[in-house]
Amino acid sequence: MNKADPKKFRVKSFGCQMNVYDGERMNEMLVDQGMTRADEGEDADLVVLNTCHIREKAAEKVYSDIGRLRKKDGSTPMIAVAGCVAQAEGKEISRRAPTVDIVVGPQAYHRLPELIARAKTGRKALDTDMPANSKFDVLPVRQKQARPNAFLTVQEGCDKFCTYCVVPYTRGAEISRPWADLIDEAKALVDGGAKEITLLGQNVNAWRGADQSGKDRGLDGLIRALDRISGLERIRYTTSHPNDMTQELIEAHGDVAKLMPYLHLPVQSGSNAILKAMNRSHTTESYLTILERVRHVRPDIAISGDFIVGFPGESDRDFEDTLEVVRQANYSQAYSFKYSPRAGTPAATMEDQIAPEIMNERLQRLQALLNEQQHAFNRQAVGRTTQALLERKGKLDGQLVGKTPWLQSVHIIAPDLAIGDMVDVDIESAGPNSLAGRLNERIAA
Ligand code: SAM
Ligand code: SF4
């Protein structure tokens, strides 16, 4: 069946912040092609599902979403599946979901216009090539930003091959984008209204490149260069791997004022035996030593992490070791997941897969401890005055929601303020997930 010439489109992104970034670049590219974004509730002629393959639940979600895609007149829009499910499942997607017109991997989405042209003629279009770096060379320059907090992918792919993880297969080998491209993109984001930039990468701190004088630099060098961009007020980076946490990067937390006091550093497990089976190549001791060193230069830093419970072979003792690491690390916030076997990864065929009820119980205990730590961290803010970058509207009339330097959400009622304002807030109360306060009139005046 021929699909009409799509005029209105919608890109729906799932999963990590790198997908959010890719989704924004797809949006900008499709607008550059003369198409218009469909408003909320409006029919789209083209729907791009920018998918996540990291856990089974995330990957399966795409199929239920495809089944629900209908226009108001009952017809099906042109459907493109992008992202990591597209990369991992390729042709299988069209077999399971025949209404899908386009399948495009995360390294090939700059070719969407050609794929759309093909789909318009009624042919299926599949592109899961991994042409190194080229998408960044052809994507249009960044447009005006809707939000004051922008994402900037600096590094993609992964060579670490943790035994549970699909990323090295879906995102390909580790690459660092060139220095000059990143400085230019950061400046374009700031010119477009961004006040905060989060540098993104599957292993963002593995970023390396030659600076303008040809000198080899790590992520700390890039951060120091961004620090000099006037108009940029905050810099963040995520996600880091413990093995790439250099002393230079740690020191940047001590002396780069725009680098926010927040570090997302996944440990995954507190048991060295499990870390070895995961091929993480760090130990709990080396992980805790990094936290000590970061806290030495920036005592107030908020530490975040990722955990997997129920990795094959995880004993009660191993899990207790994870709880112990959480107690020692003292997180401001963290993400925890049940292990999800992914086809093609070594862990999926390991013996001693853990029963779901044991995983559930362990996840609940871990999350209870993490929530307790998060709430305690938030409570420390009560009575203090904290800077917040206002990022979005809240649910209440005149309410705005911002982020503190420690990445806590903070709600204020301030009808005279706007998204993008940087304000001082007196924190009055703290919940497990967010803070509430009022504008500090003394400083604002
Ligand atoms: N590169 C980062 C690192 O090494 O910590 C993480 C990137 S990964 C996209 C995000 C998180 O998903 C991981 O830190 C891990 O906790 C989780 N994850 C990855 N594969 C998983 C799996 N098979 N089952 C459950 N959680 C998984
Ligand atoms: Fe996945 Fe490990 Fe690479 Fe992180 S370091 S993306 S968890 S393989």
Side-chain angles (χ1 to χ4, degrees), residues 70-88:
R70 288 266 179 284
K71 291 200 203 180
K72 292 190 185 91
D73 63 6
S75 66
T76 311
M78 184 183 281
I79 302 174
V81 175
C84 291
V85 175
Q87 191 65 41

Side-chain angles (χ1 to χ4, degrees), residues 412-430:
I412 59 169
I413 302 287
D416 298 335
L417 294 179
I419 291 170
D421 286 347
M422 186 78 85
V423 293
D424 285 293
V425 178
D426 295 331
I427 305 299
E428 296 176 318
S429 63

